[in-house]
Amino acid sequence: PTGYYIAGGALAVAFSFLTLALLPPAALDRFWRRRLSLFTVSDHPRTVLSLLSLAGFVLLIATGLFGSRDPLSNPLPLVIWTLLWAGFTLLQGALGDLWSWLNPWYGPWRVASRVFSLRTDEADPSRLPKWLGYWPAFVLFFGFAWFELIDPAPDDPSRLAFAAGIYWLLSFAAICVFGYEDWSRRGEFLTVFFSMVVRFAPLQREKGRLHLGWPGAKLLSASSLPASGTAFLLLALSSVSFDGLSKTFFWL
């Protein structure tokens, strides 16, 4: 309902400003930096989970191309628009960096780097020019938002499967050219978006160890974004806000 949508947003903004205005900065800083160390999480399953994620993605693409043309019967639109874009974003912000484990490019990159002896990011960390900043991710996210909000049939399974499949191939090609770390951090818009969302999660993983802290505490140690990163963040906020507003009775 539109009333709850507006009231919730207004209360969240008002509470944030009151907290910043009334609490002493030093006390607020100490409070937010407190955290509980939990246990160590190994990186070993990451490649396997990524490959399984890719296998599921390929199956969904095949379903979109050769399955039912009805968006309500084909699972691809449900997975992309509801489970991934809406549901997984909430999980990422609540449970921590799940995307780094399910990223469908990491596993293939690890396999390709071994099979074809591709150079690692440590060997050549500057293949993606620094002056590009986050603009590649901005452009790709803009295309994604346009497809979701402007395209007349974003739920059409075949169109969605074609777009998602082409995007995976282009992103993997960019990873092979620029390196996984560089392209993921500044070029692949899903990873850039989820890396921003995860800063609000109470669960944080540092140097292999899982910590439980306050939601949003990681923002205290986050470095400032360049102009391109700020533009990406504003684009993400505006597109997501419009997506939500367009589903309310006020807009309809």
Side-chain angles (χ1 to χ4, degrees), residues 16 41 48 64 66 71 78 81 83-84 114 119 135 177 182 191 193 203 228 247:
S16 300
V41 179
V48 175
F66 307 110
L78 172 66
W81 299 125
L83 297 184
L84 174 64
R114 291 194 177 190
R119 291 181 298 176
W135 290 119
V177 173
D182 268 359
T191 304
F193 176 76
L203 290 173
S228 57
K247 303 300 190 297

Side-chain angles (χ1 to χ4, degrees), residues 99-212:
W99 177 251
S100 65
W101 297 84
L102 299 177
N103 187 321
W105 290 281
Y106 178 78
W109 159 248
R110 294 288 295 176
V111 173
S113 63
R114 291 194 177 190
V115 173
F116 301 105
S117 300
L118 298 177
R119 291 181 298 176
T120 62
D121 297 286
E122 291 78 13
D124 188 6
S126 59
R127 279 178 279 173
L128 184 65
K130 291 185 177 180
W131 58 266
L132 279 176
Y134 290 87
W135 290 119
F138 177 91
V139 172
L140 292 171
F141 191 95
F142 183 86
F144 170 81
W146 181 91
F147 182 77
E148 180 193 12
L149 302 174
I150 307 300
D151 188 87
D155 291 333
D156 180 75
S158 60
R159 289 166 63 88
L160 183 57
F162 181 79
I166 291 297
Y167 177 70
W168 188 94
L169 291 173
L170 291 177
S171 293
F172 188 70
I175 286 173
C176 292
V177 173
F178 299 112
Y180 177 81
E181 292 296 333
D182 268 359
W183 185 253
S184 296
R185 289 175 180 173
R186 296 188 285 137
E188 201 285 295
F189 78 88
L190 284 173
T191 304
V192 174
F193 176 76
F194 286 133
S195 68
M196 293 181 175
V197 172
V198 78
R199 295 177 182 179
F200 295 93
L203 290 173
Q204 301 290 343
R205 183 170 175 264
E206 293 182 7
K207 298 180 180 180
R209 192 161 189 84
L210 197 65
H211 302 272
L212 177 64

Side-chain angles (χ1 to χ4, degrees), residues 2 20 24 35 88 130 149 208:
T2 306
L20 293 174
R35 62 181 186 176
F88 191 82
K130 291 185 177 180
L149 302 174

